[in-house]
Amino acid sequence: MITSTERIRANAWGRYYVTGECNACGVCAACAPDNIAPSWDGTYYAVACQPASDREEWELRDAMAACPLHCIHDDGDL
Ligand code: SF4
């Protein structure tokens, strides 16, 4: 199990990312289904693609707010 506070390597390159603290609860994917997806083995979630519209940006922001472990981040780089 990954427990690091580092960015998971499976995240799509870009400003939004999930860290290794993720417990795979799936709340984020319910908020942002077009941008966040589970790993192949279901042990963590990651940003599968960066937002490409205002709607996807809002959904990712909702996912950040809803994550119980606060392990979805935005580094501000575009
Ligand atoms: S809401 Fe947070 S802890 Fe739950 S799967 Fe998403 S990133 Fe992981």
Side-chain angles (χ1 to χ4, degrees), residues 7 13-16 50-51 57 61 74-78:
R7 182 188 293 240
W13 185 89
R15 66 186 294 172
Y16 294 100
Q50 298 294 323
E57 187 99 31
R61 290 282 173 187
D74 168 10
D75 70 7
D77 289 335
L78 295 175

Side-chain angles (χ1 to χ4, degrees), residues 18 21-29 36 45 63 66-72:
V18 177
E21 296 159 298
C22 174
N23 69 1
C25 71
V27 168
C28 56
I36 298 181
Y45 281 63
C67 175
L69 299 181
H70 308 292
C71 58
I72 306 171

Side-chain angles (χ1 to χ4, degrees), residues 18-55:
V18 177
T19 66
E21 296 159 298
C22 174
N23 69 1
C25 71
V27 168
C28 56
C31 296
D34 293 336
N35 297 91
I36 298 181
S39 62
W40 66 272
D41 60 357
T43 58
Y44 61 86
Y45 281 63
V47 175
C49 61
Q50 298 294 323
S53 67
D54 287 345
R55 177 186 58 79

